[in-house]
Amino acid sequence: MRRFGTLSFGHYGPLGHGRELTAGDSMRQAIDLAQGMDDLGVNGISFRVHHFARQQSAPMPLLAAIAATTERIEMGTGVIDMRYENPLYLAEEAASVDLISGGRLALGVSRGSPETVVRGYEAFGYRDDADPRGADVARRHFDTFLRAIDGEGMADRDPNSPFGGGSGRQRIEPHSPGLRSRVWWGAGTRETAAWAGRQGVNLMSSTLLTEADGREFDLLQAEQLDAFRAAWHEAGHSGTPRTSVSRSVFPITTAEDEMYFGRSADQGGVGYIDGFRSTFGKTYAGAPDVLVEQLQQDAAVMSADTLTLTIPSQLGVDFNLRIVEAFATHVAPELGWKPNTEDTAEGRTLDETRSTR
């Protein structure tokens, strides 16, 4: 593990005792949190994306605000549901944020996770009768998105246009060179991870896998990372792909931490999600030295180059900064982490990206 960041689920709404976190509060706090984490040298901040829910649903304005008010931290998503996306519009937005940030976008996309509505992407105008979960819609949109950010011509020029005219095919604008190297696919199985490797994009693995064979979660996930890297190299892609895993990790350093997280640690387990028997990861909570020992034994954490911590965003900026600072101070250095002031995020160069196509 060389880098770490956070993943916010971005929930807003009633907090109890007459208090409420509004959507505006949630987004403004996210910007403040990103600025504080940038000062700490944390490598990334990312947000879950859910439509028809009190969470982030249109993350690009938020990411643009973070890009404009920070210097080094990556900002991204975990993940954008490609079933809902117009791929060319997303390509324009992603390029814009990437350019504003100076190449710091870490765009996580996927088929998406279980929803609060039935086939909500159809309400957005996208339909696929062949797959009841819309996976074909997501991959079709993703293919178009990749071609667009690669600079492929997506529409015929009009030779009679009063705005310049011309012939041939026109790419979308703006175009951000190297954006392809900063795209991640969120995978929940070894099969999907291998598919992502063949596509030549980075791998984002979550706190659960829609697989279960009796083995511990971290071993299954480490095998998923291995399958991704093998598929990447077998496909002939150059450079080194990036990998990330997510964990709930809470260093307990104060009485308040103990009150909130003292009983949070669990050993994961097996359950059902989205109709699949799935394996869930552990939640780690304890004194920093205990966390170091436990995470060093987590095969996937030590295999991935990036660890993403899920954070309780409803508890506010100060509380979450304290969690992140405790991890950065007492735990992360023992796992191999370097702050972004010393170790910038590595990605494939534009030439490397072009060589994969």
Side-chain angles (χ1 to χ4, degrees), residues 15-38:
L15 297 176
H17 305 290
R19 298 176 300 133
E20 182 173 6
L21 184 70
T22 69
D25 294 333
S26 176
M27 286 184 275
R28 286 187 291 269
Q29 288 183 11
I31 296 168
D32 292 342
L33 180 61
Q35 292 170 345
M37 287 169 51
D38 198 32

Side-chain angles (χ1 to χ4, degrees), residues 156-179:
D156 291 327
R157 293 187 177 96
D158 181 357
N160 300 313
S161 171
F163 303 106
S167 61
R169 302 278 285 178
Q170 176 65 46
R171 73 182 187 188
I172 61 101
E173 294 288 349
H175 176 71
S176 182
L179 176 56

Side-chain angles (χ1 to χ4, degrees), residues 67 93-106 176-179 182:
E93 289 189 313
S96 297
V97 173
D98 200 48
L99 291 169
I100 291 170
S101 70
R104 291 185 286 132
L105 179 63
S176 182
L179 176 56
R182 294 182 281 280

Side-chain angles (χ1 to χ4, degrees), residues 236-257:
H237 301 306
S238 60
T240 302
R242 293 179 60 189
T243 55
S244 74
V245 298
S246 298
R247 294 290 186 273
S248 297
V249 182
F250 302 109
I252 296 177
T253 61
T254 69
E256 187 178 25
D257 296 338

Side-chain angles (χ1 to χ4, degrees), residues 1 218 221 225 245 247 284 295-296 298-307 335:
M1 188 205 89
D218 66 307
Q221 193 172 46
L225 301 182
V245 298
R247 294 290 186 273
Y284 295 97
L295 291 170
Q296 286 176 336
D298 188 308
V301 168
M302 300 312 295
S303 174
D305 60 74
T306 301
L307 173 61
L335 303 177

Side-chain angles (χ1 to χ4, degrees), residues 286-349:
D289 59 333
V290 174
L291 294 180
V292 169
E293 183 177 349
Q294 291 176 333
L295 291 170
Q296 286 176 336
Q297 299 303 312
D298 188 308
V301 168
M302 300 312 295
S303 174
D305 60 74
T306 301
L307 173 61
T308 302
L309 308 179
T310 60
I311 56 171
S313 55
Q314 303 99 308
L315 295 182
V317 176
D318 292 341
F319 190 90
N320 281 282
L321 275 179
R322 188 158 56 78
I323 292 174
V324 172
E325 185 172 16
F327 187 83
T329 302
H330 303 294
V331 181
E334 301 300 320
L335 303 177
W337 173 69
K338 294 181 179 180
N340 63 20
T341 53
E342 300 178 19
D343 183 34
T344 57
E346 296 175 1
R348 288 165 285 133
T349 66

